[in-house]
Amino acid sequence: MGYAPGLDQSTNLMPLPSEKLSREYTFVAQMILCQGYAEEGAAGATCGRGSPPAEGSAQVPVPGSRLCLYEDGTEVTEDYFPGIPDDAELLLLTAGQTWQGYVSDLSRFLSVFQEPHSAVIQAARQLLADEQAPLRQKLLADLLHNASQNIAAETREQDPPWFEGLESRFRNKCGYLRHSCESRIRGYLREVSAYASVLGGEAQEEYRRILDAMGQKLKDLRYHGSYFDRKAPAGVRLCTPEGWFSCQGPFDLDGCTSKHSINPYGSRESRVLFSTWNLDHVIEKKRTVVPTLAEALQERGGREVDWEYFYGLLFTLENLKLVHIACHKKTIHKLQCDHSRIYRAGTGPRRRRRPARKRR
């Protein structure tokens, strides 16, 4: 069993190697518990197995110090101490310090990604170079990938590796990701346009007129490229100001149970992986929305189709969800358009005029 002298708050607490408790060490531990003394010296120093601190070694009083279990932060009282297993690890906390066991460990680990330190990245690279176990290799590679991301950089000059493989016309990350989103929306418009050949006569003519109106609106809104632009206003982007995107979950769920997230602004690898995420139509585009629009035109009978309702279903977040590839379900959604919104209010079928009665 070992103990670590109290350090500067819980961020620097360190567990010590386990050692079997001896009579002499029992005395040391009880002294710490009862008198609040800690051995002066480097953090993580331990007493030798079965040997108390050397006579005359410097000791400093630490009022209010206490021991806790490394595993879960349980405070070790004098009564609780004899029942501790031989292989237990202890931490010595000074006044004001806290420890929540593995929760604190994870918090310290996550802090590496908030403010990556070059020493941490270098240590991870050294470990990865010698590691043979596939699982540990993956964990270390993921750590390096996340800790090495250059999220704040925006231009080609600031982060040249991010732009590898891209045309020279793309000078900043926001510009490329806007283009990426615009390309997806343009693809949806092409698919909708292809359906015109299925119709004929007056219905096809009206369908093309609606396509022109949709196309003009898309041009005015720059094909909703703002969805992927971290510099766009909050109401028209899908990411945080730093560029983090969160999966919105499958079409039939309110959220992502796996908590998928990605920042394509961070690295070239993340940018490439983001291309596999989908803007999924909750009410399906090909199976439902477009056929319903075509049917409405064929059966309108003088009523005016509300093309802006269909525009919202085809191209906006009213009906689009950003999903990780694993959350993109290929099954039939079995969802229908809102039939109360297909035609504009105030329009109705043309009534046939009754023939005038002959005067007798």
Side-chain angles (χ1 to χ4, degrees):
M1 185 179 301
Y3 75 92
L7 305 176
D8 182 22
Q9 299 305 319
S10 59
T11 55
N12 291 321
L13 294 172
M14 298 178 60
L16 298 180
S18 302
E19 293 190 15
K20 187 174 181 180
L21 193 65
S22 65
R23 290 184 181 180
E24 292 85 358
Y25 197 71
T26 299
F27 167 77
V28 175
Q30 288 178 336
M31 179 180 68
I32 294 172
L33 283 169
C34 300
Q35 301 180 22
Y37 277 73
E39 181 182 0
E40 183 181 35
T46 61
C47 296
R49 181 169 180 160
S51 59
E55 292 185 9
S57 62
Q59 292 184 336
V60 294
V62 185
S65 61
R66 64 197 189 283
L67 285 175
C68 73
L69 292 179
Y70 174 79
E71 180 180 355
D72 59 10
T74 300
E75 186 170 344
V76 179
T77 63
E78 192 169 1
D79 293 335
Y80 184 76
F81 188 82
I84 297 176
D86 288 345
D87 58 351
E89 291 181 311
L90 302 178
L91 286 176
L92 176 60
L93 305 177
T94 58
Q97 291 182 323
T98 60
W99 183 256
Q100 295 176 285
Y102 296 139
V103 173
S104 296
D105 251 353
L106 288 171
S107 296
R108 294 167 60 202
F109 175 73
L110 292 173
S111 68
V112 172
F113 302 106
Q114 294 176 344
E115 295 182 7
H117 299 286
S118 58
V120 173
I121 295 175
Q122 182 179 356
R125 285 174 177 164
Q126 290 175 347
L127 288 172
L128 181 60
D130 299 327
E131 186 56 61
Q132 300 299 319
L135 176 59
R136 290 173 63 88
Q137 283 180 339
K138 182 181 186 307
L139 292 173
L140 286 167
D142 287 347
L143 185 152
L144 278 171
H145 169 71
N146 287 285
S148 303
Q149 292 193 99
N150 194 0
I151 292 174
E154 175 63 26
T155 66
R156 185 181 285 267
E157 291 73 21
Q158 292 170 335
D159 191 0
W162 194 93
F163 292 85
E164 289 180 7
L166 298 182
E167 297 176 29
S168 59
R169 63 190 176 102
F170 297 113
R171 305 303 304 171
N172 57 72
K173 296 178 180 180
C174 286
Y176 173 77
L177 285 163
R178 284 191 70 99
H179 169 77
S180 174
C181 186
E182 290 172 9
S183 297
R184 299 190 191 205
I185 300 298
R186 288 176 188 271
Y188 298 159
L189 180 61
R190 287 193 294 271
E191 292 177 31
V192 178
S193 300
Y195 203 86
S197 60
V198 177
L199 302 173
E202 187 180 346
Q204 186 183 80
E205 183 180 343
E206 184 65 13
Y207 190 87
R208 293 190 184 281
R209 186 192 69 79
I210 287 176
L211 282 175
D212 289 342
M214 288 182 174
Q216 185 57 53
K217 186 169 183 176
L218 285 172
K219 288 180 181 178
D220 293 343
L221 295 173
R222 299 181 63 186
Y223 293 89
H224 298 287
S226 60
Y227 292 163
F228 291 176
D229 183 356
R230 64 180 175 181
K231 291 186 178 180
V236 294
R237 56 175 159 80
L238 285 168
C239 61
T240 67
E242 296 76 30
W244 284 100
F245 292 83
S246 296
C247 175
Q248 296 175 316
F251 74 92
D252 54 353
L253 294 178
D254 292 332
C256 175
T257 56
S258 299
K259 304 298 182 184
H260 295 123
S261 64
I262 191 171
N263 192 329
Y265 289 86
S267 66
R268 178 181 177 276
E269 181 179 344
S270 294
R271 169 174 64 78
V272 173
L273 288 175
F274 186 63
S275 66
T276 66
W277 284 49
N278 292 275
L279 279 173
D280 188 26
H281 288 84
V282 177
I283 302 175
E284 294 175 282
K285 175 178 75 271
K286 289 184 177 180
R287 286 195 179 105
T288 305
V289 180
V290 175
T292 300
L293 171 59
E295 182 181 1
L297 291 172
Q298 291 172 319
E299 300 179 357
R300 68 188 187 280
R303 291 171 292 183
E304 183 181 357
V305 173
D306 188 353
W307 66 267
E308 290 187 289
Y309 166 62
F310 288 97
Y311 176 95
L313 295 180
L314 292 167
F315 307 115
T316 76
L317 302 182
E318 177 183 343
N319 190 48
L320 291 173
K321 295 181 76 173
L322 181 67
V323 296
H324 183 277
I325 189 172
C327 289
H328 187 206
K329 294 183 178 180
K330 300 289 187 178
T331 57
I332 298 175
H333 294 191
K334 298 180 180 180
L335 297 172
Q336 301 299 318
C337 298
D338 183 351
H339 287 274
S340 68
R341 299 182 62 187
I342 290 177
Y343 299 102
R344 290 191 185 278
T347 63
R350 295 172 182 171
R351 296 180 180 179
R352 293 181 180 178
R353 293 182 179 180
R354 295 181 180 178
R357 293 182 181 181
K358 294 181 180 180
R359 294 182 179 179
R360 294 182 179 179

PDB file of all heavy atoms in Angstrom, residues 182-206:
ATOM      1  N   GLU A 182     -22.963  23.126 -50.086  1.00  0.00           N
ATOM      2  CA  GLU A 182     -23.657  23.563 -51.302  1.00  0.00           C
ATOM      3  C   GLU A 182     -23.725  22.436 -52.326  1.00  0.00           C
ATOM      4  O   GLU A 182     -24.749  22.260 -53.003  1.00  0.00           O
ATOM      5  CB  GLU A 182     -22.937  24.773 -51.901  1.00  0.00           C
ATOM      6  CG  GLU A 182     -23.065  26.043 -51.075  1.00  0.00           C
ATOM      7  CD  GLU A 182     -22.171  27.158 -51.598  1.00  0.00           C
ATOM      8  OE1 GLU A 182     -21.599  26.985 -52.699  1.00  0.00           O
ATOM      9  OE2 GLU A 182     -22.051  28.193 -50.912  1.00  0.00           O
ATOM     10  N   SER A 183     -22.656  21.665 -52.443  1.00  0.00           N
ATOM     11  CA  SER A 183     -22.623  20.558 -53.402  1.00  0.00           C
ATOM     12  C   SER A 183     -23.686  19.522 -53.077  1.00  0.00           C
ATOM     13  O   SER A 183     -24.326  18.961 -53.975  1.00  0.00           O
ATOM     14  CB  SER A 183     -21.238  19.917 -53.419  1.00  0.00           C
ATOM     15  OG  SER A 183     -20.253  20.833 -53.862  1.00  0.00           O
ATOM     16  N   ARG A 184     -23.893  19.254 -51.798  1.00  0.00           N
ATOM     17  CA  ARG A 184     -24.926  18.289 -51.409  1.00  0.00           C
ATOM     18  C   ARG A 184     -26.319  18.801 -51.792  1.00  0.00           C
ATOM     19  O   ARG A 184     -27.139  18.054 -52.327  1.00  0.00           O
ATOM     20  CB  ARG A 184     -24.858  18.030 -49.898  1.00  0.00           C
ATOM     21  CG  ARG A 184     -23.541  17.442 -49.427  1.00  0.00           C
ATOM     22  CD  ARG A 184     -23.636  16.999 -47.999  1.00  0.00           C
ATOM     23  NE  ARG A 184     -22.332  16.659 -47.425  1.00  0.00           N
ATOM     24  CZ  ARG A 184     -22.163  15.821 -46.419  1.00  0.00           C
ATOM     25  NH1 ARG A 184     -23.201  15.223 -45.868  1.00  0.00           N
ATOM     26  NH2 ARG A 184     -20.960  15.568 -45.955  1.00  0.00           N
ATOM     27  N   ILE A 185     -26.575  20.068 -51.505  1.00  0.00           N
ATOM     28  CA  ILE A 185     -27.886  20.634 -51.801  1.00  0.00           C
ATOM     29  C   ILE A 185     -28.109  20.699 -53.321  1.00  0.00           C
ATOM     30  O   ILE A 185     -29.222  20.427 -53.807  1.00  0.00           O
ATOM     31  CB  ILE A 185     -28.030  22.027 -51.178  1.00  0.00           C
ATOM     32  CG1 ILE A 185     -27.873  21.946 -49.641  1.00  0.00           C
ATOM     33  CG2 ILE A 185     -29.376  22.639 -51.533  1.00  0.00           C
ATOM     34  CD1 ILE A 185     -28.906  21.098 -48.947  1.00  0.00           C
ATOM     35  N   ARG A 186     -27.082  21.048 -54.080  1.00  0.00           N
ATOM     36  CA  ARG A 186     -27.203  21.043 -55.537  1.00  0.00           C
ATOM     37  C   ARG A 186     -27.545  19.640 -56.046  1.00  0.00           C
ATOM     38  O   ARG A 186     -28.324  19.476 -56.997  1.00  0.00           O
ATOM     39  CB  ARG A 186     -25.902  21.513 -56.177  1.00  0.00           C
ATOM     40  CG  ARG A 186     -25.610  22.999 -56.030  1.00  0.00           C
ATOM     41  CD  ARG A 186     -24.243  23.312 -56.628  1.00  0.00           C
ATOM     42  NE  ARG A 186     -23.811  24.665 -56.367  1.00  0.00           N
ATOM     43  CZ  ARG A 186     -24.075  25.709 -57.145  1.00  0.00           C
ATOM     44  NH1 ARG A 186     -24.800  25.524 -58.245  1.00  0.00           N
ATOM     45  NH2 ARG A 186     -23.634  26.915 -56.836  1.00  0.00           N
ATOM     46  N   GLY A 187     -26.969  18.635 -55.407  1.00  0.00           N
ATOM     47  CA  GLY A 187     -27.266  17.254 -55.783  1.00  0.00           C
ATOM     48  C   GLY A 187     -28.736  16.913 -55.556  1.00  0.00           C
ATOM     49  O   GLY A 187     -29.362  16.223 -56.384  1.00  0.00           O
ATOM     50  N   TYR A 188     -29.290  17.391 -54.455  1.00  0.00           N
ATOM     51  CA  TYR A 188     -30.719  17.159 -54.189  1.00  0.00           C
ATOM     52  C   TYR A 188     -31.577  17.818 -55.270  1.00  0.00           C
ATOM     53  O   TYR A 188     -32.568  17.243 -55.740  1.00  0.00           O
ATOM     54  CB  TYR A 188     -31.108  17.710 -52.817  1.00  0.00           C
ATOM     55  CG  TYR A 188     -30.394  17.059 -51.651  1.00  0.00           C
ATOM     56  CD1 TYR A 188     -30.290  17.713 -50.418  1.00  0.00           C
ATOM     57  CD2 TYR A 188     -29.825  15.800 -51.758  1.00  0.00           C
ATOM     58  CE1 TYR A 188     -29.642  17.119 -49.352  1.00  0.00           C
ATOM     59  CE2 TYR A 188     -29.173  15.205 -50.696  1.00  0.00           C
ATOM     60  CZ  TYR A 188     -29.073  15.875 -49.485  1.00  0.00           C
ATOM     61  OH  TYR A 188     -28.437  15.291 -48.430  1.00  0.00           O
ATOM     62  N   LEU A 189     -31.203  19.032 -55.691  1.00  0.00           N
ATOM     63  CA  LEU A 189     -31.974  19.734 -56.714  1.00  0.00           C
ATOM     64  C   LEU A 189     -31.937  18.967 -58.039  1.00  0.00           C
ATOM     65  O   LEU A 189     -32.948  18.876 -58.741  1.00  0.00           O
ATOM     66  CB  LEU A 189     -31.428  21.149 -56.901  1.00  0.00           C
ATOM     67  CG  LEU A 189     -32.155  22.010 -57.949  1.00  0.00           C
ATOM     68  CD1 LEU A 189     -33.620  22.204 -57.564  1.00  0.00           C
ATOM     69  CD2 LEU A 189     -31.464  23.367 -58.097  1.00  0.00           C
ATOM     70  N   ARG A 190     -30.782  18.397 -58.386  1.00  0.00           N
ATOM     71  CA  ARG A 190     -30.688  17.611 -59.621  1.00  0.00           C
ATOM     72  C   ARG A 190     -31.607  16.393 -59.576  1.00  0.00           C
ATOM     73  O   ARG A 190     -32.250  16.033 -60.567  1.00  0.00           O
ATOM     74  CB  ARG A 190     -29.237  17.182 -59.866  1.00  0.00           C
ATOM     75  CG  ARG A 190     -28.325  18.316 -60.324  1.00  0.00           C
ATOM     76  CD  ARG A 190     -27.004  17.767 -60.841  1.00  0.00           C
ATOM     77  NE  ARG A 190     -26.223  17.126 -59.783  1.00  0.00           N
ATOM     78  CZ  ARG A 190     -25.361  17.759 -59.012  1.00  0.00           C
ATOM     79  NH1 ARG A 190     -25.160  19.064 -59.156  1.00  0.00           N
ATOM     80  NH2 ARG A 190     -24.676  17.102 -58.088  1.00  0.00           N
ATOM     81  N   GLU A 191     -31.667  15.750 -58.400  1.00  0.00           N
ATOM     82  CA  GLU A 191     -32.541  14.585 -58.262  1.00  0.00           C
ATOM     83  C   GLU A 191     -34.006  14.974 -58.427  1.00  0.00           C
ATOM     84  O   GLU A 191     -34.786  14.250 -59.061  1.00  0.00           O
ATOM     85  CB  GLU A 191     -32.317  13.930 -56.896  1.00  0.00           C
ATOM     86  CG  GLU A 191     -30.948  13.282 -56.734  1.00  0.00           C
ATOM     87  CD  GLU A 191     -30.748  12.708 -55.339  1.00  0.00           C
ATOM     88  OE1 GLU A 191     -31.748  12.279 -54.735  1.00  0.00           O
ATOM     89  OE2 GLU A 191     -29.604  12.701 -54.854  1.00  0.00           O
ATOM     90  N   VAL A 192     -34.385  16.103 -57.857  1.00  0.00           N
ATOM     91  CA  VAL A 192     -35.761  16.573 -57.984  1.00  0.00           C
ATOM     92  C   VAL A 192     -36.059  16.933 -59.435  1.00  0.00           C
ATOM     93  O   VAL A 192     -37.145  16.628 -59.961  1.00  0.00           O
ATOM     94  CB  VAL A 192     -36.010  17.784 -57.058  1.00  0.00           C
ATOM     95  CG1 VAL A 192     -37.436  18.311 -57.237  1.00  0.00           C
ATOM     96  CG2 VAL A 192     -35.773  17.410 -55.603  1.00  0.00           C
ATOM     97  N   SER A 193     -35.116  17.549 -60.114  1.00  0.00           N
ATOM     98  CA  SER A 193     -35.308  17.958 -61.507  1.00  0.00           C
ATOM     99  C   SER A 193     -35.507  16.754 -62.428  1.00  0.00           C
ATOM    100  O   SER A 193     -36.271  16.810 -63.393  1.00  0.00           O
ATOM    101  CB  SER A 193     -34.103  18.773 -61.995  1.00  0.00           C
ATOM    102  OG  SER A 193     -33.923  19.934 -61.204  1.00  0.00           O
ATOM    103  N   ALA A 194     -34.812  15.654 -62.109  1.00  0.00           N
ATOM    104  CA  ALA A 194     -34.895  14.464 -62.967  1.00  0.00           C
ATOM    105  C   ALA A 194     -36.300  13.874 -63.003  1.00  0.00           C
ATOM    106  O   ALA A 194     -36.660  13.164 -63.948  1.00  0.00           O
ATOM    107  CB  ALA A 194     -33.896  13.418 -62.491  1.00  0.00           C
ATOM    108  N   TYR A 195     -37.113  14.171 -62.004  1.00  0.00           N
ATOM    109  CA  TYR A 195     -38.459  13.595 -61.926  1.00  0.00           C
ATOM    110  C   TYR A 195     -39.418  14.243 -62.920  1.00  0.00           C
ATOM    111  O   TYR A 195     -40.504  13.708 -63.182  1.00  0.00           O
ATOM    112  CB  TYR A 195     -39.012  13.748 -60.510  1.00  0.00           C
ATOM    113  CG  TYR A 195     -40.099  12.755 -60.147  1.00  0.00           C
ATOM    114  CD1 TYR A 195     -39.769  11.501 -59.651  1.00  0.00           C
ATOM    115  CD2 TYR A 195     -41.446  13.072 -60.304  1.00  0.00           C
ATOM    116  CE1 TYR A 195     -40.759  10.586 -59.312  1.00  0.00           C
ATOM    117  CE2 TYR A 195     -42.445  12.172 -59.963  1.00  0.00           C
ATOM    118  CZ  TYR A 195     -42.093  10.931 -59.472  1.00  0.00           C
ATOM    119  OH  TYR A 195     -43.081  10.010 -59.148  1.00  0.00           O
ATOM    120  N   ALA A 196     -39.035  15.374 -63.504  1.00  0.00           N
ATOM    121  CA  ALA A 196     -39.922  16.082 -64.431  1.00  0.00           C
ATOM    122  C   ALA A 196     -40.292  15.215 -65.626  1.00  0.00           C
ATOM    123  O   ALA A 196     -41.402  15.324 -66.171  1.00  0.00           O
ATOM    124  CB  ALA A 196     -39.258  17.371 -64.894  1.00  0.00           C
ATOM    125  N   SER A 197     -39.380  14.333 -66.043  1.00  0.00           N
ATOM    126  CA  SER A 197     -39.632  13.493 -67.218  1.00  0.00           C
ATOM    127  C   SER A 197     -40.756  12.495 -66.992  1.00  0.00           C
ATOM    128  O   SER A 197     -41.318  11.952 -67.950  1.00  0.00           O
ATOM    129  CB  SER A 197     -38.350  12.758 -67.612  1.00  0.00           C
ATOM    130  OG  SER A 197     -37.899  11.929 -66.546  1.00  0.00           O
ATOM    131  N   VAL A 198     -41.084  12.238 -65.725  1.00  0.00           N
ATOM    132  CA  VAL A 198     -42.155  11.285 -65.415  1.00  0.00           C
ATOM    133  C   VAL A 198     -43.518  11.894 -65.711  1.00  0.00           C
ATOM    134  O   VAL A 198     -44.481  11.192 -66.020  1.00  0.00           O
ATOM    135  CB  VAL A 198     -42.067  10.854 -63.932  1.00  0.00           C
ATOM    136  CG1 VAL A 198     -43.218   9.915 -63.570  1.00  0.00           C
ATOM    137  CG2 VAL A 198     -40.726  10.189 -63.660  1.00  0.00           C
ATOM    138  N   LEU A 199     -43.607  13.203 -65.611  1.00  0.00           N
ATOM    139  CA  LEU A 199     -44.871  13.904 -65.806  1.00  0.00           C
ATOM    140  C   LEU A 199     -45.063  14.294 -67.262  1.00  0.00           C
ATOM    141  O   LEU A 199     -44.130  14.262 -68.064  1.00  0.00           O
ATOM    142  CB  LEU A 199     -44.909  15.153 -64.923  1.00  0.00           C
ATOM    143  CG  LEU A 199     -44.738  14.927 -63.419  1.00  0.00           C
ATOM    144  CD1 LEU A 199     -44.633  16.261 -62.696  1.00  0.00           C
ATOM    145  CD2 LEU A 199     -45.873  14.103 -62.857  1.00  0.00           C
ATOM    146  N   GLY A 200     -46.250  14.696 -67.576  1.00  0.00           N
ATOM    147  CA  GLY A 200     -46.524  15.121 -68.930  1.00  0.00           C
ATOM    148  C   GLY A 200     -47.516  16.266 -68.957  1.00  0.00           C
ATOM    149  O   GLY A 200     -48.203  16.547 -67.978  1.00  0.00           O
ATOM    150  N   GLY A 201     -47.596  16.932 -70.095  1.00  0.00           N
ATOM    151  CA  GLY A 201     -48.576  17.971 -70.294  1.00  0.00           C
ATOM    152  C   GLY A 201     -48.469  19.127 -69.330  1.00  0.00           C
ATOM    153  O   GLY A 201     -47.387  19.604 -68.986  1.00  0.00           O
ATOM    154  N   GLU A 202     -49.633  19.575 -68.844  1.00  0.00           N
ATOM    155  CA  GLU A 202     -49.712  20.743 -67.977  1.00  0.00           C
ATOM    156  C   GLU A 202     -49.017  20.513 -66.645  1.00  0.00           C
ATOM    157  O   GLU A 202     -48.404  21.438 -66.089  1.00  0.00           O
ATOM    158  CB  GLU A 202     -51.181  21.105 -67.755  1.00  0.00           C
ATOM    159  CG  GLU A 202     -51.380  22.410 -66.999  1.00  0.00           C
ATOM    160  CD  GLU A 202     -52.851  22.737 -66.804  1.00  0.00           C
ATOM    161  OE1 GLU A 202     -53.688  22.106 -67.473  1.00  0.00           O
ATOM    162  OE2 GLU A 202     -53.150  23.629 -65.971  1.00  0.00           O
ATOM    163  N   ALA A 203     -49.066  19.286 -66.111  1.00  0.00           N
ATOM    164  CA  ALA A 203     -48.427  18.975 -64.831  1.00  0.00           C
ATOM    165  C   ALA A 203     -46.914  19.139 -64.930  1.00  0.00           C
ATOM    166  O   ALA A 203     -46.265  19.660 -64.013  1.00  0.00           O
ATOM    167  CB  ALA A 203     -48.774  17.558 -64.388  1.00  0.00           C
ATOM    168  N   GLN A 204     -46.340  18.699 -66.050  1.00  0.00           N
ATOM    169  CA  GLN A 204     -44.889  18.847 -66.226  1.00  0.00           C
ATOM    170  C   GLN A 204     -44.493  20.314 -66.342  1.00  0.00           C
ATOM    171  O   GLN A 204     -43.478  20.727 -65.782  1.00  0.00           O
ATOM    172  CB  GLN A 204     -44.426  18.101 -67.474  1.00  0.00           C
ATOM    173  CG  GLN A 204     -42.915  18.101 -67.637  1.00  0.00           C
ATOM    174  CD  GLN A 204     -42.463  17.439 -68.908  1.00  0.00           C
ATOM    175  OE1 GLN A 204     -42.505  18.056 -69.986  1.00  0.00           O
ATOM    176  NE2 GLN A 204     -42.023  16.180 -68.807  1.00  0.00           N
ATOM    177  N   GLU A 205     -45.315  21.082 -67.040  1.00  0.00           N
ATOM    178  CA  GLU A 205     -45.033  22.507 -67.179  1.00  0.00           C
ATOM    179  C   GLU A 205     -45.040  23.204 -65.825  1.00  0.00           C
ATOM    180  O   GLU A 205     -44.163  24.019 -65.519  1.00  0.00           O
ATOM    181  CB  GLU A 205     -46.079  23.140 -68.106  1.00  0.00           C
ATOM    182  CG  GLU A 205     -45.835  24.609 -68.372  1.00  0.00           C
ATOM    183  CD  GLU A 205     -46.890  25.198 -69.291  1.00  0.00           C
ATOM    184  OE1 GLU A 205     -47.603  24.414 -69.969  1.00  0.00           O
ATOM    185  OE2 GLU A 205     -47.017  26.439 -69.340  1.00  0.00           O
ATOM    186  N   GLU A 206     -46.030  22.870 -64.992  1.00  0.00           N
ATOM    187  CA  GLU A 206     -46.109  23.466 -63.654  1.00  0.00           C
ATOM    188  C   GLU A 206     -44.957  22.982 -62.770  1.00  0.00           C
ATOM    189  O   GLU A 206     -44.418  23.737 -61.958  1.00  0.00           O
ATOM    190  CB  GLU A 206     -47.452  23.129 -63.016  1.00  0.00           C
ATOM    191  CG  GLU A 206     -47.699  23.752 -61.663  1.00  0.00           C
ATOM    192  CD  GLU A 206     -47.786  25.276 -61.705  1.00  0.00           C
ATOM    193  OE1 GLU A 206     -47.892  25.846 -62.812  1.00  0.00           O
ATOM    194  OE2 GLU A 206     -47.728  25.897 -60.615  1.00  0.00           O
TER     195      GLU A 206
END
